Amino acid sequence: MTIIETNSEQETLAFGRSLGEQAKPGQVYALDGDLGVGKTVLTKGLAEGLGITEPVCSPTFTILQIYEEGLLPLYHFDVYRIDDIEEMEEIGYEDYFYGAGVCLIEWANLVEELLPRETIHIRIEKEPERGFDYRRITVSATENDSPEKTDAK
């Protein structure tokens, strides 16, 4: 497990960019956090890191947004409005989760049972007492990782 602390939207964006620069084909990121915590900011950074220049927004009403112009395709899911797991099957999620692009799934906890075993889990949290823009970003690949703390400045 790795904990990254950011103190501005720009730092969260930069962390996302570094994820995109390091992403490999078939990588799946499960992104969770409360409304307004910065999930889409991190996603925009990841897209930048992949070389995607078109505007990135949360696909809340379409569930899936596909960006193909970068180094790797980005499949951006927002499953907040999924009522039934079968909706993911209708979209053909397996083609994306197990494809050659990079998947980022906002609200991934809602489809946890569908996630590949190798998924990287990212949780963004606010701590208001540490400042309005402070974010604690926890990244874990498995439950058995040892904690490590870094600052993203």
Side-chain angles (χ1 to χ4, degrees), residues 85-86 88-89 93 97-98 111-116 119:
I85 210 76
E86 289 179 15
M88 291 296 287
E89 291 176 15
Y93 78 92
F97 285 20
Y98 299 98
V111 295
E112 187 76 34
E113 63 267 30
L114 300 179
L115 299 176
T119 298

Side-chain angles (χ1 to χ4, degrees), residues 57-65 78-81 87 91:
C57 58
S58 190
T60 301
F61 295 102
T62 59
I63 300 173
L64 172 62
Q65 188 72 272
D78 183 329
V79 298
Y80 184 74
R81 298 193 186 283
E87 289 180 61
I91 293 170

Side-chain angles (χ1 to χ4, degrees), residues 128-142:
E129 63 278 358
R130 306 249 342 237
F132 180 77
D133 292 321
Y134 174 85
R135 298 294 185 269
R136 177 187 182 101
I137 304 170
T138 305
V139 181
S140 60
T142 64

Side-chain angles (χ1 to χ4, degrees), residues 34-137:
D34 292 336
L35 284 170
V37 82
K39 293 183 297 295
T40 302
V41 170
L42 188 136
T43 303
K44 287 177 181 182
L46 188 137
E48 284 181 18
L50 288 171
I52 294 167
T53 58
E54 66 183 284
V56 172
C57 58
S58 190
T60 301
F61 295 102
T62 59
I63 300 173
L64 172 62
Q65 188 72 272
I66 300 172
Y67 303 94
E68 295 186 291
E69 70 173 34
L71 303 169
L72 295 169
L74 173 61
Y75 308 120
H76 181 198
F77 288 82
D78 183 329
V79 298
Y80 184 74
R81 298 193 186 283
I82 291 279
D83 290 323
D84 189 320
I85 210 76
E86 289 179 15
E87 289 180 61
M88 291 296 287
E89 291 176 15
E90 290 171 13
I91 293 170
Y93 78 92
E94 289 178 328
D95 293 339
Y96 303 105
F97 285 20
Y98 299 98
V102 175
C103 282
L104 187 136
I105 306 135
E106 293 189 41
W107 301 99
N109 60 308
L110 300 174
V111 295
E112 187 76 34
E113 63 267 30
L114 300 179
L115 299 176
R117 188 165 176 251
E118 306 79 25
T119 298
I120 294 176
H121 296 267
I122 302 171
R123 175 133 189 98
I124 306 175
E125 299 169 286
K126 292 181 184 181
E127 289 184 32
E129 63 278 358
R130 306 249 342 237
F132 180 77
D133 292 321
Y134 174 85
R135 298 294 185 269
R136 177 187 182 101
I137 304 170

